C-alpha cells in the first residue's frame, strides 16, 4: 500500500509532527507517495539521505520563483488531442495515466500527476489518441508515459499494446517508468507478457537517480525484462544533494550497465514549481559530466540534456550547444538552429 499522506509519514517516523502544518500545505498542491521498497531504502539516521530527499516532502517546495512554470517543458503547446504530445515529427508521447507509485519531489509534471492531477485518460479519449497515431503515418515511435504506465494492470496494458499492434507504421514502443526501481515485484510474468503483446520492439526507460536504488531485487526485475527481449535504457535527473557528485553518478551508471540498462539521459532539473532547492547551475552540471567522463567507460555515459521551457524540445548541453551570455544566463541552440535564452 505504501505511504500516501502526511499522517502516514508521521506515523512511519519519517517526518515530525512539528512539520505537519507546512507539509499539509505542500500536500494540498503536490501528491505524496512512497512504496514499501522505497521506505525500506531510507536511512533514518541520515538527515541528508539521498533516497529520503527524493520522496519526502519539505517546506522548501512552498518557495516558487518567477522562472518556474506549471508546464515546464511545454507539453500543452504540442498536444493536438487529449493524451498525445507530438513535439518531434517521428514520435509521440501517449500519456495514458496520471498517477504514479511514488511521487518524486522534483517531478517535472508535478502539476499534472497525482490524485489531484489531470486524472487517467478515459476510454473515449484513449480511442481518439490512438486514432491520431493511426492517422499520422510519420509516427515511428510511441512513448507511453504519464504518470507511470506500469502502474496500470496487466489487463489494461495488454489492451493498449494490442491496439498499438494494429498500427503498422509504429515500430517502437517505449515505456517510461520508475516501477522496476520502486516496486520491482510488479515486474512479473503477466506484466511482461502484456508488454510484449504489441509485437513491436519495446524499450523500458527506467528512472532512477541514486545507486542505492539499484538493489539486488531491482536488478533482478531488470533481468526479467531484458531476458524477455525488452530493451532497457535509463533516465536520471541531476539533483543537488542527491547525485551531484561524479563518484555517485559513476556508481549509478555502472549499476545500470551491469543490469543491461544502457545509460540514456541525464536531465538537467526542469523549472517545475517549488523545485529550486534541487537545481544546480548548468556550469556545475557540465563540470560533473566532464569528471564522470574521465572515470567511466563510454558505455556508462548518458547524454546530459536540457528540456527547453516552452516546448522547444531537448538539447544536449554537454557539447557546446549553449553559450553564457551573462553570469547565469545562456543562449541555447535548439535542434532547428533557433536560439533561446535560459532561464
Ligand atoms: S514517477 Fe515520474 S511522473 Fe511520477 S512523480 Fe516521479 S518523476 Fe513524476
Amino acid at each position: 500500500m505504501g505511504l500516501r499522506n502526511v499522517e502516514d509519514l508521521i506515523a512511519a517516523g519519517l517526518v515530525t509532527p512539528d512539520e505537519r502544518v507546512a507539509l499539509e500545505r505542500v500536500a494540498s498542491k503536490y501528491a505524496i507517495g512512497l512504496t514499501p521498497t522505497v521506505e525500506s531504502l531510507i536511512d533514518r539516521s541520515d538527515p541528508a539521505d539521498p533516497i529520503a530527499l527524493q520522496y519526502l516532502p519539505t517546506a522548501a517546495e512552498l518557495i516558487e520563483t518567477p522562472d518556474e512554470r506549471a508546464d515546464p517543458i511545454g507539453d500543452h503547446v504540442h498536444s493536438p488531442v487529449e493524451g498525445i504530445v507530438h513535439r518531434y515529427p517521428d514520435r509521440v508521447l501517449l500519456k495514458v495515466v496520471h498517477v504514479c507509485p511514488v511521487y518524486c519531489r522534483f517531478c517535472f509534471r508535478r502539476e499534472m500527476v497525482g490524485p489531484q492531477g489531470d486524472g487517467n485518460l478515459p476510454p473515449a479519449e484513449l480511442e481518439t489518441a490512438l486514432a491520431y497515431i493511426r492517422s499520422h503515418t510519420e509516427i515511428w515511435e510511441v512513448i507511453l508515459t504519464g504518470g507511470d504506465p506500469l502502474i496500470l494492470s496487466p489487463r489494461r496494458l495488454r489492451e493498449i499494446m494490442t491496439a498499438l499492434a494494429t498500427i503498422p507504421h509504429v515500430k517502437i514502443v517505449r515505456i517510461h517508468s520508475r516501477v522496476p526501481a520502486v516496486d520491482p515485484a510488479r515486474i512479473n510474468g503477466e506484466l511482461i507478457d502484456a508488454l510484449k503483446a504489441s509485437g513491436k520492439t519495446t524499450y523500458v526507460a527506467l528512472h532512477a537517480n541514486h545507486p542505492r536504488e539499484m538493489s539486488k531485487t531491482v536488478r533482478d526485475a531488470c533481468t526479467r525484462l531484458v531476458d524477455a527481449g525488452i530493451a532497457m535504457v535509463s533516465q536520471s535527473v541531476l539533483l543537488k544533494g542527491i547525485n551531484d557528485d561524479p563518484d555517485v553518478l559513476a556508481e549509478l551508471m555502472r549499476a545500470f550497465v551491469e543490469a543491461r540498462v544502457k545509460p540514456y539521459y541525464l536531465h538537467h532539473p526542469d523549472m517545475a514549481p517549488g523545485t529550486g532547492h534541487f537545481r544546480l547551475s548548468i556550469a556545475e552540471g557540465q563540470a560533473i559530466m566532464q569528471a564522470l567522463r574521465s572515470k567511466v567507460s563510454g558505455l556508462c555515459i548518458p547524454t546530459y540534456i536540457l528540456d527547453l521551457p516552452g516546448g522547444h524540445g531537448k538539447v544536449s548541453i554537454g557539447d557546446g550547444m549553449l553559450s553564457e551570455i551573462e553570469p547565469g544566463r545562456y543562449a541555447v541552440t535548439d535542434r532547428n538552429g533557433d536560439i533561446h535564452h535560459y532561464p
Side-chain angles (χ1 to χ4, degrees), residues 100 102-104 106-108 113 146-148 178 207:
C100 303
V102 291
Y103 289 100
C104 313
F106 48 85
C107 175
F108 65 125
V113 300
D148 194 319
R178 234 176 178 333
H207 173 187

Side-chain angles (χ1 to χ4, degrees), residues 3 105 130 169 198 240 264 270 321 333 341:
L3 309 174
R105 307 323 302 168
L130 289 167
H169 52 271
S198 73
K240 194 195 255 178
Y264 181 37
D270 291 309
M321 289 181 85
T333 308
H341 288 169

Side-chain angles (χ1 to χ4, degrees), residues 63-331:
I63 302 166
E64 296 186 8
T65 65
D67 284 329
E68 293 177 341
R69 308 172 177 211
D71 179 18
I73 68 167
D75 280 353
H76 289 144
V77 292
H78 292 290
S79 184
V81 299
E82 195 67 31
I84 293 280
V85 178
H86 198 171
R87 200 186 326 266
Y88 310 95
D90 71 340
R91 53 207 185 271
V92 289
L93 304 184
L94 175 55
K95 292 161 85 173
V96 285
V97 64
H98 291 89
V99 290
C100 303
V102 291
Y103 289 100
C104 313
R105 307 323 302 168
F106 48 85
C107 175
F108 65 125
R109 294 206 176 104
R110 58 190 338 218
E111 299 272 347
M112 307 170 207
V113 300
Q116 69 269 60
D118 287 351
N120 291 349
L121 195 63
E125 271 78 2
L126 177 60
E127 201 32 65
T128 306
L130 289 167
Y132 180 88
I133 296 170
R134 237 176 253 123
S135 65
H136 285 259
T137 53
E138 73 276 21
I139 297 172
W140 171 80
E141 180 181 23
V142 173
I143 301 164
L144 297 188
T145 184
D148 194 319
L150 297 191
I151 203 169
L152 292 173
S153 69
R155 183 185 60 77
R156 289 281 295 125
L157 281 168
R158 179 178 288 278
E159 283 168 9
I160 295 166
M161 297 305 258
T162 307
L164 292 173
T166 65
I167 307 177
H169 52 271
V170 171
K171 306 293 185 194
I172 307 291
V173 180
R174 188 189 341 157
I175 299 155
H176 281 214
S177 181
R178 234 176 178 333
V179 164
V182 302
D183 194 3
R186 221 179 151 78
I187 308 297
N188 58 24
E190 196 187 357
L191 183 132
I192 289 171
D193 282 349
L195 295 187
K196 292 172 68 181
S198 73
K200 311 283 184 186
T201 300
T202 302
Y203 280 74
V204 168
L206 168 65
H207 173 187
N209 304 309
H210 193 275
R212 274 181 32 226
E213 292 179 281
M214 293 298 290
S215 65
K216 167 88 170 64
T217 51
V218 171
R219 293 182 193 216
D220 288 347
C222 296
T223 297
R224 292 194 289 281
L225 287 163
V226 177
D227 281 353
I230 294 170
M232 291 189 74
V233 294
S234 75
Q235 55 168 353
S236 308
V237 187
L238 184 58
L239 295 162
K240 194 195 255 178
I242 293 172
N243 59 14
D244 57 336
D245 173 331
D247 289 324
V248 171
L249 281 181
E251 205 181 329
L252 175 64
M253 298 303 153
R254 286 188 178 126
F256 285 144
V257 171
E258 287 165 19
R260 292 181 286 168
V261 179
K262 171 69 186 89
Y264 181 37
Y265 279 154
L266 178 66
H267 294 271
H268 189 73
D270 291 309
M271 287 288 180
T275 62
H277 51 298
F278 290 115
R279 276 199 295 275
L280 62 178
S281 70
I282 285 177
E284 288 169 312
Q286 289 175 320
I288 290 168
M289 276 303 292
Q290 206 174 355
L292 177 66
R293 220 169 258 124
S294 70
K295 286 176 183 294
V296 295
S297 150
L299 262 185
C300 299
I301 298 293
T303 304
Y304 181 33
I305 283 289
L306 174 68
D307 229 313
L308 283 167
H312 300 287
K314 292 181 175 62
V315 289
S316 167
I317 51 175
D319 60 6
M321 289 181 85
L322 85 173
S323 54
E324 198 166 24
I325 48 178
E326 60 182 77
R329 282 187 71 76
Y330 294 83

